Amino acid sequence: MAAINHPVTAAYRNTVVDDAVLGFVTASAGLGAEVVAQASAVSDAFAAQAAFLATAGGCAKPTSDEDLSVLLGPTIAAMTVVSEAASAVAPSHPRAHYLSAVGDSIGVLGWVAVDSKPVAHIADTASAGDFFLNKVLMSSKGGTDGPAAQTWVAAFRGVVTALKAYVKEHHTQGLVWEFASKVSTTSPMTASRGDGGGEGRSAGGGAGGGGGGAGFTGATGEALAAYLAASKVLGGPIAKQAEAFAAGFKAEEELLEKVGVTPKPADPAAALQPMLEPISAAIGAAAELGSSTSPQDPLFNHLTGVGESVGVLGWVAVDSKPVAYISDMEDAGSFFLNKVLMGAKTAENKAAQQAWVRSVRALYAALKAYVKEHHTQGLVWEFASKVSTTSPMTASRGDGGGEGRSAGGGAGGGGGGAGFTGATGEALAAYLAASKVLGGPIAKQAEAFAAGFKAEEELLEKVGVTPKPADPAAALQPMLEPISAAIGAAAELGSSTSPQDPLFNHLTGVGESVGVLGWVAVDSKPVAYISDMEDAGSFFLNKVLMGAKTAENKAAQQAWVRSVRALYAALKAYVKEHHTQGLVWEFASKVSTTSPMTASRGDGGGEGRSAGGGAGGGGGGAGFTGATGEALAAYLAASKVLGGPIAKQAEAFAAGFKAEEELLEKVGVTPKPADPAAALQPMLEPISAAIGAAAELGSSTSPQDPLFNHLTGVGESVGVLGWVAVDSKPVAYITENKAAQQAWVRSVRALYAALKAYVKEYHTTCLMWNTAQ
């Protein structure tokens, strides 16, 4: 139960939100639209944390990461908007330092998630933005906006100081959960219930009936009103779609009123049917505005983002895990909402579009919070008569959960084939069984995937008893072939299926992500690699869930998607435990008390390079070509296989790499000039021309063209070559520009990885001048 009026919560609102943050928002006025918009997002983030603290004060700490993530979701989403405001402008933007200072420091709000020393966390995170705050002060000296800049810096530092003071006083050792019950003998349940409802609801709706229509509107009404208002600002079909969505919320309110006073019938689905019709009609109207909009329409992403996720209202009809269902539906539209944010960067009404995206996400967060509190396991009937002391957290856990796995590995060789099968076998069997229920090509694809797991088990058995060879890649090659064959067979079933086929999303979802098994061949970060591969298929799996809503075998399809995701989760857990840094050789002979993290690092790794490239002077043109040449050649070769405009785009990109090599040669023998930007300008022109040529091939391609994703994937990210012109964090700049999928895409990623490795080794802080002297 939320501790909204508790003194600890009130202290945060009064001293941090209403005083320090409001002062910062006021100080931001007049410093430009971008600074004002970011300050507004900062205010949203702190307000979201205030709401989180009110919730934390009235409940025990969640025992699962999933439950905690739901609670933290609105704060994290708001923090992301603040960070994106910084990355959305070029380093040359007159307010770039302002935006970077706040964007790099907003992580201070992460104090709620650290295990200890939260004040130190705030101080450390805030220091990341101090560099830019000092740049603001330096650049404003003698300028007309000098006093305003000084006031702004002082106001932002005041926010950090206020936050540290609050945390030091109330959460010294770490976030205190359920503090409402620690200061009073009155239980939060009784204290907050009062006479008129308030926040005091039981898991099932409580005596106050918070789970009913009034409680639903109380929990979601403010967020819905904000979404309607933000949609009205953008107007046209966006406002029309918002009205349809709002009609769905109204219909859901009425359904909950009826359900709240009705005993659960023998056939709930049949009883719900007439009550669901107006909700379905509203969902259909909102979705239709998305599906009927052309991809060329400037509002396509807005309308599709909501149209693909409007199904969140269908939680009332699912048998279990309604909060997870809402998250799945929300994810289906997330890609398009992110595209709105990307497109808004250069829009005149940028702030309005960003506010609209925030309002959509806040509405979904409010809906999830309501469902989690009152209908954790699924729609509760006749909740108005139920009074329970069981918290939603406990109610949903049951007795038999938990992962109950040992740390594994150890002397038993858990990293080998047997350990691999032990960790993934159950999930693989569940996936095979779920696929068999759906049958046909889905079952066939599952068999191919299972063959890949079997081949991977055999590879791990061999690797586990083999010392690491001088050339691991060559040694692995013959062992990888059966895995590659299985991956190819499973992927082929996806790529050869027509988009009109009812199984297209199922087969493509697995076909696009089957590459997870390739983690054994990556040099580092294999868990992140698995996540990347999984993400490639996630969109299609979400489409399966959406399509399943009206399917006769709905439960079977939902179970199948869950089984795929559970399989990937099991694979990641195994790799994270036994091969954290990359494939470990001869692990069977290693028995150590050292953690897998330390054990897998070896002796010769580490980052021990000088910022300037060391004595070897590898930071110049020759070093650049040596570091990226092989990957560039592989990318050119892979592009040549696909031919046509892809090959043409690759040639333009390669010309940019050549121009960058020449720039680095010149910079490497030139002392840093007084004005580096001016000195760089003529050297940057051929790079800019190459970037423009490659980008043009992406932007001029129709979304209907089968090569649209290929050309846009590189076209949107070709700006990686611009790292030479950024003031700081060139590796992060490259990462932000990176794009996506499969064999051809892996060659692109390999190229970016080689480029990052080069920059990290020789130009860690920024472009190094005069490296030859």
Side-chain angles (χ1 to χ4, degrees):
M1 303 311 110
I4 289 178
N5 297 316
H6 191 276
V8 175
T9 315
Y12 185 86
R13 283 200 311 272
N14 295 338
T15 62
V16 181
V17 179
D18 294 343
D19 189 356
V21 174
L22 183 59
F24 169 65
V25 171
T26 304
S28 300
L31 290 173
E34 293 86 357
V35 174
V36 171
Q38 188 188 52
S40 175
V42 168
S43 179
D44 291 344
F46 276 86
Q49 183 151 98
F52 166 80
L53 289 169
T55 302
C59 70
K61 183 177 180 179
T63 56
S64 76
D65 290 342
E66 182 183 350
D67 289 335
L68 183 59
S69 295
V70 171
L71 293 179
L72 288 172
T75 306
I76 294 170
M79 290 168 64
T80 303
V81 174
V82 175
S83 298
E84 286 174 345
S87 59
V89 299
S92 56
H93 190 282
R95 299 299 184 204
H97 293 140
Y98 290 77
L99 299 168
S100 295
V102 178
D104 280 8
S105 306
I106 193 62
V108 293
L109 291 176
W111 70 268
V112 294
V114 300
D115 293 330
S116 63
K117 301 184 179 177
V119 178
H121 168 84
I122 295 170
D124 289 345
T125 308
S127 67
D130 273 343
F131 170 79
F132 293 104
L133 290 176
N134 291 330
K135 294 276 276 186
V136 169
L137 292 174
M138 289 168 61
S139 61
S140 65
K141 280 181 181 175
T144 54
D145 63 348
Q150 291 169 357
T151 301
W152 181 86
V153 170
F156 184 68
R157 285 179 168 156
V159 171
V160 176
T161 301
L163 181 62
K164 282 195 288 187
Y166 166 80
V167 174
K168 187 173 183 179
E169 181 174 355
H170 299 289
H171 304 271
T172 317
Q173 301 299 323
L175 176 64
V176 179
W177 291 81
E178 212 170 2
F179 50 74
S181 65
K182 292 180 173 69
V183 189
S184 167
T185 54
T186 312
S187 78
M189 198 77 79
T190 335
S192 63
R193 243 194 324 264
D195 299 322
E199 290 298 318
R201 300 159 183 145
S202 71
F216 176 73
T217 303
T220 62
E222 188 176 340
L224 180 60
Y227 162 60
L228 282 166
S231 300
K232 195 172 181 182
V233 170
L234 296 181
I238 291 177
K240 186 177 178 182
Q241 186 182 54
E243 289 166 5
F245 206 172
F249 272 83
K250 180 65 179 170
E252 192 135 289
E253 175 194 351
E254 292 166 0
L255 177 148
L256 289 164
E257 277 299 319
K258 295 174 186 174
V259 165
V261 294
T262 306
K264 187 171 182 177
D267 188 348
L272 273 179
Q273 197 53 47
M275 294 187 268
L276 287 173
E277 286 173 3
I279 300 175
S280 298
I283 289 174
E288 169 66 20
L289 279 160
S291 59
S292 62
T293 303
S294 163
Q296 280 72 43
D297 192 305
L299 299 181
F300 171 75
N301 288 316
H302 304 70
L303 297 168
T304 307
V306 171
E308 291 281 288
S309 56
V310 70
V312 292
L313 290 174
W315 70 268
V316 290
V318 301
D319 294 331
S320 64
K321 298 187 179 176
V323 176
Y325 172 86
I326 295 170
S327 295
D328 287 341
M329 293 299 103
E330 181 183 5
D331 287 347
S334 188
F335 170 80
F336 300 98
L337 294 180
N338 287 336
K339 293 283 279 183
V340 172
L341 290 175
M342 289 169 63
K345 290 177 189 176
T346 55
E348 290 182 6
N349 63 344
K350 173 182 172 182
Q353 294 200 47
Q354 291 174 333
W356 179 81
V357 172
R358 285 199 299 273
S359 74
V360 175
R361 287 176 166 159
L363 179 58
Y364 294 157
L367 178 62
K368 281 193 283 189
Y370 165 82
V371 174
K372 185 173 183 183
E373 183 171 356
H374 299 293
H375 303 271
T376 316
Q377 301 292 338
L379 182 65
V380 179
W381 292 75
E382 203 183 15
F383 45 77
S385 66
K386 296 180 174 70
V387 183
S388 167
T389 56
T390 310
S391 76
M393 246 9 132
T394 357
S396 65
R397 266 200 306 270
D399 299 322
E403 287 301 316
R405 298 186 185 114
S406 67
F420 176 74
T421 304
T424 62
E426 187 178 340
L428 180 60
Y431 162 62
L432 283 165
S435 300
K436 195 172 181 181
V437 170
L438 296 180
I442 291 177
K444 186 178 178 182
Q445 186 183 53
E447 289 166 6
F449 205 175
F453 272 81
K454 180 65 178 169
E456 192 136 292
E457 174 193 3
E458 293 166 0
L459 177 147
L460 289 165
E461 277 298 320
K462 295 174 185 174
V463 166
V465 294
T466 306
K468 187 172 183 178
D471 188 348
L476 273 179
Q477 196 54 47
M479 294 186 268
L480 288 173
E481 286 173 3
I483 300 174
S484 299
I487 289 175
E492 170 64 14
L493 279 159
S495 60
S496 63
T497 303
S498 163
Q500 281 70 45
D501 192 303
L503 299 181
F504 171 76
N505 288 317
H506 303 69
L507 297 167
T508 308
V510 170
E512 289 285 305
S513 56
V514 69
V516 292
L517 290 174
W519 70 268
V520 290
V522 301
D523 292 329
S524 64
K525 298 186 180 176
V527 178
Y529 171 87
I530 295 170
S531 294
D532 288 342
M533 292 298 101
E534 180 183 7
D535 287 346
S538 189
F539 172 79
F540 300 99
L541 294 181
N542 286 334
K543 294 281 280 183
V544 172
L545 290 173
M546 291 172 62
K549 287 186 287 186
T550 55
E552 290 181 6
N553 63 344
K554 171 183 169 182
Q557 294 201 46
Q558 290 174 334
W560 180 82
V561 172
R562 285 197 299 271
S563 75
V564 175
R565 287 177 166 159
L567 179 58
Y568 294 156
L571 179 62
K572 282 193 283 189
Y574 164 82
V575 175
K576 186 174 183 179
E577 184 174 356
H578 300 293
H579 303 271
T580 317
Q581 303 293 332
L583 182 65
V584 179
W585 292 73
E586 205 184 13
F587 45 76
S589 65
K590 296 178 174 76
V591 182
S592 167
T593 55
T594 312
S595 75
M597 205 71 83
T598 359
S600 61
R601 264 203 301 271
D603 299 322
E607 289 300 322
R609 297 156 183 149
S610 72
F624 176 74
T625 304
T628 63
E630 188 177 342
L632 179 60
Y635 162 61
L636 283 166
S639 300
K640 194 173 181 182
V641 170
L642 295 178
I646 291 176
K648 186 176 178 183
Q649 186 183 54
E651 289 166 5
F653 205 173
F657 271 81
K658 180 64 179 170
E660 195 141 283
E661 175 195 352
E662 293 167 358
L663 176 148
L664 289 163
E665 278 298 321
K666 294 175 186 174
V667 166
V669 295
T670 305
K672 187 171 183 178
D675 187 349
L680 274 178
Q681 197 53 47
M683 293 186 269
L684 287 173
E685 286 173 5
I687 300 174
S688 299
I691 289 174
E696 170 65 19
L697 279 159
S699 60
S700 63
T701 303
S702 164
Q704 279 72 41
D705 192 302
L707 299 182
F708 172 74
N709 289 320
H710 303 69
L711 296 167
T712 308
V714 171
E716 290 280 301
S717 57
V718 68
V720 292
L721 290 174
W723 70 268
V724 291
V726 301
D727 292 332
S728 64
K729 299 186 179 177
V731 177
Y733 172 83
I734 295 168
T735 302
E736 286 165 6
N737 279 276
K738 207 169 65 169
Q741 288 154 25
Q742 253 192 12
W744 171 78
V745 181
R746 284 198 295 274
S747 72
V748 180
R749 282 178 166 164
L751 178 59
Y752 296 159
L755 178 60
K756 282 197 287 183
Y758 166 80
V759 176
K760 189 172 185 181
E761 183 168 0
Y762 300 111
H763 303 271
T764 316
T765 310
C766 62
L767 179 66
M768 298 298 296
W769 294 73
N770 197 24
T771 56
Q773 295 179 7

